[in-house]
Amino acid sequence: MGGGNNPAAAASSFPKLVKKPVGQQIHSIYKDRLGQFAGTGQYAGQNLQKAMDEGRATGPDNVKLSVYSVPDLARPTFKDATSKEFKDTHVGESFGPSWSTHWFKIKIKVPSELLSKKHLEFHWDANNEGLVWSEKGEPLQGLTGGGERTEWILPEDFRDGKEHTFYIEMACNSMFGNPMGGDVIQPPDPNRYFQLHKADIVAVNLEARALFVDFWIIGDAAREFPGDAWQSHEALQVGNKIMDTFIATNGSQESIVECRKIAQSYLGENVDSAKVYANDEEPTVYGIGHCHIDTCWLWPWAETKRKVARSWSNQCDLLDRYPEHRFTCSQAQQYKWLEQLYPPLYDRVKANVKKGRFQPIGGSWVEHDTNMPSGESLVRQFLYGQRFFESRFGARCQTFWLPDTFGYSAQLPQLCRLAGMSRFFTQKLSWNNINNFPHTTFSWVALDGSQVLCHMAPAETYTAEAHFGDVKRSMTGHKSMDQDKTSLLVFGKGDGGGGPTFQHLEKLRRCRGLSDKVGLLPRVKMGESVDDFFERLEKKAENGTEFVTWYGELYFELHRGTYTTQANNKWNNRKTEIMMRDIEYLATLATIRDSLYKYPKKDIDDMWEHILLCQFHDCLPGSSIEMCYDDSDELYAEVFATGQKVLKEAMSAVGLAKHEKNSEPIALNTLPWPRAEIVKVSDQAGSSKPKYAIAKGEQGIASVEMLSTSSKSIASIKEEDGGYVLSNDHFKVVVTDGTISSLYDREAKREIVKKGERAGQLVIFDDKPLYWQAWDVEVFHLESRQVLPSSKTTISEKGPHVVSVVTETKVSEESWVKTTISLAASIDGQPSYIEMESEVEWHETMRFLKVEFPVNIFNTEASYETQYGIIRRPTHYNTSWDMAKFEVCCHKWADLSENGYGVSVLNDSKYGFATCGQMMRLSLLRSPKAPDAHADMGRHHIRYAILPHAGPLDARTIRTAINFNHPMKLYSKSASPSKSSISPPKLLNAITLSGDDALILDCVKRGEDDEDVSRGELPQRKGRSIILRIYESLGGTSRGTIAVDKDVISVKKVCRTNILEDDEKAQDMYDGQKIDIELRPFEVATYRLSL
């Protein structure tokens, strides 16, 4: 091209000549380098750690210590403890033994060189828990120990240079009790001592502390963001630049300030305050502070009461310091303990509840097990929980909260809705050890079709440390983003209490700042409630979002051994539940007959609260230390004692008395259907009186017909071919070598026992789970099955009314079983069954005792009683989901039926069961050694039975199982004169239910707030009322009629209510006092009869 002048190119700012070689950064090395900056290892004297304090004072010139060591492991009140003599002590001294309490009087004087420092704290650490008290007796703040939550901010008035006094109550246990050998689930070490190694006044460098958290989050971003994301590379460069800046001036205060500015280039400028949340950017993760306190577990109830005070005082302090903080906590029982034992702290909590910052949640008395409590117990968990929250805080809970319970029974959604809750939160199924649960946010559907909106935290914990990774997993672990991308992040120290720390709140501020500044990390939002979170989900559903559904139980694929461990505790639970039904039924009718009789509401409330407490999810399942079962044994003993007193009073008021030898007996049938059964009257050697009688009658009073030895022989026994043959009109039972080799149904003309097998066979398994001893039984235990042969069988009863044989079985040198197999004479119109009663002396180690029933029945599903319904589970291992249910929970019966015939196995106190193919197994006893080294050791009495039945599973099994658990007892008519014209038979049959036999009248009680019953917690209702609870038990639409005898009870109106006894819909009455009802499959219905 031609010449001419070309315009000059713009000069480049890029140097023409290279200055020096520059290498590619080796990321792995520079990431590892980040660990040097804030750690407590070999570089602690050179890194940020050296700058964390601006000064420290200790020793008797500044901190004077004296102690009162409480004798006998007692836990005295502040007033009592501080009235005792205190002795001088010092740092370095040790205190114990385990579970003891030591009160320290601390007199401090801030030295002059620290008076002008910006922030003063008192640091205390003896590796155990403690509670700071003011000199006036106000609980101020909990201490955790072991380097966690060891600081207490000194009040401003301590800066006057004078001596000030406060107290610390030391508990000689760590956050997780006193386990031996450092393994948290091992039984407690009874002789553990704790050395006090820190009691200092500290001037804290707040800028250094803030930089520590800055660097923590930036380091996490460098390590945890994907390597192909620029945010990861940027975080690594910022982190290393902070380190270089600090090193350049040897960690001066000026360098720390500069390092924080560098950090803000990545985290944003507002991370030091709640302003970081004050923008309109859409969040996806909603943080909520939480403190899960196991009501008992690795510590006794008495220590839980103190854990509540320590933990909740911490949160009241943080609520004062962090405007964005919101704290939620469940369990009405814990609130009640706080109200009773720590009134000033309870007032602080209540004030924060009023502000909307301390948020009660859950609506239940405790965070209870949901597998084993009866349906009525689940109702009472909600009734007592919701009434407490409403009476103390003016509102009921909307969200059911069970983050740590071991599986969730199928009727919970229905009961939640009936208790005013449409939402459910948990995360426990993330612990499944076979299958991953597929949903995060979904609709959970009960057996009756009721649903709740369920959210399972995708961070898969209820004790998140508020790490960068917790926030990240709240998105990466989310399985329901097709419907909604938001999640809850539930953070705070838990299980042993504690709750959120200031570090948690500071980290979340930085996570939010990082999200807004550089992105990629899900944006976290603070300052809202769990109900706010669910309200948005419900709004989405209202606007058309269809959440995925899950029908039936949320079966937990772990902790299956909890259906069996601590058998005595489970026996107590079943028996007290049954006793409470009778108490309320009889006491209700007593208030009708006797105007002077007062419904024992306080006793009933106390008993229920004790029972509900013992249903806590580490108590009833059997996963607590031995001390907890000492506690629960005492409570159950109190319940039984109170119950017997209340029953006696109610019986007297309805016109009945204890049966005396020379009086004519009558039987009491408190169940809502006719019954007839053989009852034992006398068992005295040489007695001329009949040993047995037939008790027969409708609901209420049943007649007793004495049976003499000359009566027609209708049950027989004989020896044959080395065994025994027991017979009645229904069955022929052959007992060979102590087990049932043949069970022949005479009417159906079929053999029940699978050919070549034995029913009632005791078997034992090796029982060593992967870790959680009391909790788990693993699938591989089934491969260790051993048959326990019997040593001797003899006839114990020859009839003619009951025949039985007793078999002795040796388990080991220390353990044995003595089983009585009985067959009673057939009674017209009543199912017949083969009863077994085992007396067991049990001293085994990590072995599992079961009893087998191989039956000549085939079906791919077995049926099991659950609360207010039936669960059907596979009998095969087609998929991993099927195999995971190798051990399941049942209540009073399990059933395997095919077309035209079936077999039910009944029990009186057991919950573990398995059906594999044609083999039915009832779990009897386990012998784990952790966390209770003596779990289940000793003597046990267990009743169970085989109930063959022609036709399908139906009301015969339901009713017979209830009868089996509720045997009729003998009484006499009261000899005391009564002013009432209402006879006991008429009174006790005054309220009846007829119609479909699937309908069960399960509860008869007085209205909670009736004016003659109310204890004043909530507004009284005028007049008197009777509450009836009825459920459909077989899974079909059922119709029936409630009839009330107008000559006994005058009913003004009838309303359908929820389980909280709010009137909802008036019911029509006709023909005097009859009410027709219709229930959908497995529906629970509650009615109020207003008198």
Side-chain angles (χ1 to χ4, degrees), residues 308-411:
V308 171
R310 293 191 285 259
S311 302
W312 294 4
S313 61
N314 292 337
Q315 299 315 306
C316 288
D317 173 63
L318 289 174
L319 290 170
D320 291 340
R321 293 158 54 194
Y322 289 86
E324 73 272 25
H325 185 31
R326 299 293 182 272
F327 177 72
T328 195
C329 216
S330 65
Q331 307 196 76
Q333 174 69 85
Q334 295 184 7
Y335 287 85
K336 184 171 182 177
W337 281 336
L338 194 75
E339 180 184 36
Q340 293 172 331
L341 302 173
Y342 301 90
L345 179 54
Y346 177 76
D347 289 341
R348 288 178 70 191
V349 167
K350 196 167 183 177
N352 277 302
V353 171
K354 190 173 183 180
K355 295 174 186 175
R357 304 191 63 203
F358 195 116
Q359 299 165 354
I361 200 168
S364 58
W365 191 249
V366 294
E367 288 188 14
H368 51 93
D369 177 75
T370 76
N371 289 310
M372 290 170 282
S374 68
E376 190 60 33
S377 284
L378 294 183
V379 167
R380 299 310 172 97
Q381 287 284 353
F382 291 136
L383 179 69
Y384 280 87
Q386 289 285 49
R387 286 178 62 81
F388 182 90
F389 290 126
E390 183 179 7
S391 65
R392 278 20 176 232
F393 307 118
R396 296 171 178 172
C397 301
Q398 296 178 274
T399 301
F400 188 32
W401 183 270
L402 279 188
D404 193 32
T405 294
F406 311 150
Y408 305 94
S409 57
Q411 287 285 50

Side-chain angles (χ1 to χ4, degrees), residues 618-691:
D618 276 307
C619 186
L620 181 55
S623 48
S624 292
I625 60 173
E626 187 173 9
M627 295 171 77
C628 298
Y629 296 105
D630 293 339
D631 287 346
S632 66
D633 285 349
E634 287 184 17
L635 271 194
Y636 278 125
E638 186 178 330
V639 171
F640 282 122
T642 302
Q644 291 307 311
K645 174 185 75 72
V646 171
L647 267 175
K648 183 179 179 181
E649 292 167 354
M651 295 291 291
S652 176
V654 300
L656 299 178
K658 181 181 178 182
H659 175 54
E660 302 294 342
K661 290 181 181 179
N662 297 321
S663 63
E664 181 181 350
I666 56 175
L668 177 62
N669 174 23
T670 58
L671 299 179
W673 47 71
R675 296 174 66 182
E677 62 189 50
I678 294 178
V679 295
K680 187 175 288 188
V681 179
S682 172
D683 199 17
Q684 295 178 343
S687 172
S688 60
K689 286 191 175 182
K691 196 174 183 182

